[in-house]
Amino acid sequence: MNIFQDWPEPIVRVQSLSESNLQAIPNRYVKPLAQRPNLLSENYHTKNNPHTAAIPIIDLGAIYTNDITLQAKTLDEISKACREWGFFQVVNHGMSPQLMERAKEIWREFFHLPMELKNMHANSPKTYEGYGSRLGVEKGAILDWSDYYYLHYQPLSLKDYTKWPSLPLHCRETLEGYCKEMVKLCENLMTILSKKLGLQEDRLQNAFGGKDEAGGCLRVNYYPKCPQPELTLGLSPHSDPGGLTILLPDEHVAGLHVRGSDDAWITVEPAPHALIVNIGDQIQMLSNSVYKSIEHRVIVSPAEERLSLAFFYNPKGNVPIEPLKELVTVDSPALYTSTTYDQYRQFIRTQGPRNKSHIDELRSPR
């Protein structure tokens, strides 16, 4: 259980700072030199620089056809992306572009409501549900340049509509439909990931505690424009602590960076109507590091706000998470000690995002 009932200091909304037309950002947001994004000289992948690698784009349409050869090829592409990248984009994923656009529109409207209406949903570090502006409870910590909204969709025991926004009108119905589609996609991907590990197709899902008990939550990230984007980050480098993440990106303002195999940061350029999928730490542990949970970060823009919706699909909080016994052999011993997701996520909730330091701490002594 989270022992922190409240934030260690008064909360400042980053959006309020941005809209006050300040010329320099407060020191609380200035990253140490080594963590700042070197926006001019780093070798990012962009449309104008095709020589660096781009994360795979996978067409899921083939999965829903009767073409067995094409199905097998798509499953192989997903498996390869999870083993080599930990990140991939999916198109023809089954979610309507209209629902995706409506979800983004609703959240843009929410973040542009008067501050007193948004603050009615202010969150605390006890559950993080609601409108927030920081991760971690360390007093005096350097903060990220972002606000967010976090809510639980499943299991039913955690779903609380009073913690969901009530404005704009009809937003809850849209969110309900959006999250329902997200769960469906996550469940399909879990089946594929299990099969490509050579396991029963429901093995990973059962390791999460089963469909009814698996966690599903939404974090909507709002990155206001920033007068000094070279000094700060929208979200510090981290790997996702949960199981599987599906991101609905901002198609107009790129900002997500993924750490490549050569340690360079790669800018993800979203394909039209694509969703971005990434493996979280829990699946890295369950797969005994066959599937990779990769570090990523977000940069901010001096000219434009940016909005993204991250849906997290997680194990039930109290089920043991450790390398699946079918994947542990003499030649491939268990790389991680046992934990639970409830224990694991306390790290990011108290320390904030810190690279891959937490999963590294759980490596089995060799």
Side-chain angles (χ1 to χ4, degrees), residues 146-357:
S146 57
D147 298 322
Y148 62 86
Y149 202 103
Y150 179 76
L151 58 86
H152 284 293
Y153 175 70
Q154 68 172 50
L156 223 46
S157 58
L158 290 179
K159 187 178 188 179
D160 180 356
Y161 280 131
T162 66
K163 301 280 177 67
W164 293 28
S166 50
L167 291 172
L169 289 174
H170 309 301
C171 66
R172 288 180 183 170
E173 295 93 318
T174 301
L175 293 177
E176 184 76 38
Y178 180 84
C179 291
K180 185 179 178 184
E181 290 297 313
M182 281 285 154
V183 168
K184 202 186 301 181
L185 179 55
C186 288
E187 288 174 352
N188 287 341
L189 288 170
M190 292 284 281
T191 298
I192 291 167
L193 296 183
S194 276
K195 283 180 178 174
K196 298 309 292 184
L197 285 170
L199 305 171
Q200 294 287 324
E201 65 175 38
D202 60 358
R203 184 68 177 95
L204 272 180
Q205 188 74 65
N206 290 339
F208 269 39
K211 287 184 179 180
D212 292 340
E213 293 296 326
C217 45
L218 182 69
R219 181 183 142 114
V220 184
N221 305 299
Y222 179 74
Y223 304 102
K225 58 187 180 183
C226 177
Q228 295 176 299
E230 71 284 357
L231 297 183
T232 191
L233 289 165
L235 194 52
S236 294
H238 66 288
S239 58
D240 288 347
L244 203 56
T245 303
I246 302 187
L247 183 81
L248 175 57
D250 192 317
E251 280 186 28
H252 307 293
V253 190
L256 175 63
H257 286 173
V258 174
R259 176 118 36 208
S261 55
D262 59 356
D263 261 5
W265 289 107
I266 296 164
T267 301
V268 178
E269 299 282 356
H273 307 308
L275 294 166
I276 298 167
V277 180
N278 68 278
I279 298 294
D281 293 347
Q282 307 303 300
I283 287 183
Q284 177 168 322
M285 288 190 284
L286 287 166
S287 72
N288 207 26
S289 217
V290 173
Y291 296 147
K292 305 291 191 289
S293 163
I294 299 298
E295 219 179 308
H296 49 286
R297 70 180 187 184
V298 175
I299 59 164
V300 289
S301 164
E304 297 177 275
E305 65 179 25
R306 186 171 171 275
L307 180 101
S308 67
L309 281 65
F311 188 83
F312 302 112
Y313 193 69
N314 303 322
K316 183 184 179 186
N318 62 0
V319 297
I321 299 294
E322 60 193 1
L324 296 172
K325 63 180 186 306
E326 301 95 317
L327 303 177
V328 175
T329 65
V330 175
D331 295 330
S332 299
L335 295 175
Y336 303 100
T337 55
S338 183
T339 186
T340 67
Y341 182 55
D342 276 347
Q343 291 168 336
Y344 192 90
R345 69 176 165 190
Q346 284 310 313
F347 181 86
I348 195 166
R349 287 187 167 190
T350 55
Q351 307 292 313
R354 298 201 179 189
N355 308 87
K356 282 185 69 75
S357 58

Side-chain angles (χ1 to χ4, degrees), residues 9-62:
E9 47 225 340
I11 288 292
V12 176
R13 302 301 179 192
V14 176
Q15 186 176 6
S16 296
L17 293 173
S18 176
E19 290 174 355
S20 70
N21 294 319
L22 72 181
Q23 301 303 302
I25 64 174
N27 286 339
R28 290 297 309 272
Y29 301 91
V30 177
K31 301 292 178 187
L33 207 52
Q35 292 174 25
R36 292 178 198 172
N38 193 347
L39 299 179
L40 296 175
S41 65
E42 284 187 2
N43 188 26
Y44 301 135
H45 167 77
T46 65
K47 291 187 181 91
N48 303 320
N49 182 11
H51 302 297
T52 53
I55 71 167
I57 300 176
I58 299 173
D59 186 340
L60 291 188

Side-chain angles (χ1 to χ4, degrees), residues 84-153:
E84 295 180 4
W85 279 94
F87 264 85
F88 55 100
Q89 300 194 55
V90 290
V91 294
N92 294 321
H93 37 66
M95 180 176 275
S96 81
Q98 291 81 5
L99 180 55
M100 291 160 68
E101 285 309 310
R102 181 70 188 125
K104 284 194 277 195
E105 191 183 308
I106 270 173
W107 283 109
R108 280 197 197 95
E109 288 178 32
F110 172 82
F111 282 105
H112 286 283
L113 287 171
M115 190 57 76
E116 61 270 21
L117 291 179
K118 289 183 295 214
N119 275 333
M120 286 167 60
H121 299 283
N123 74 347
S124 81
K126 190 178 177 186
T127 67
Y128 274 84
E129 289 169 279
Y131 177 46
S133 296
R134 67 179 290 166
L135 284 173
V137 291
E138 183 189 333
K139 193 168 185 178
I142 303 291
L143 303 176
D144 289 338
W145 190 264
S146 57
D147 298 322
Y148 62 86
Y149 202 103
Y150 179 76
L151 58 86
H152 284 293
Y153 175 70

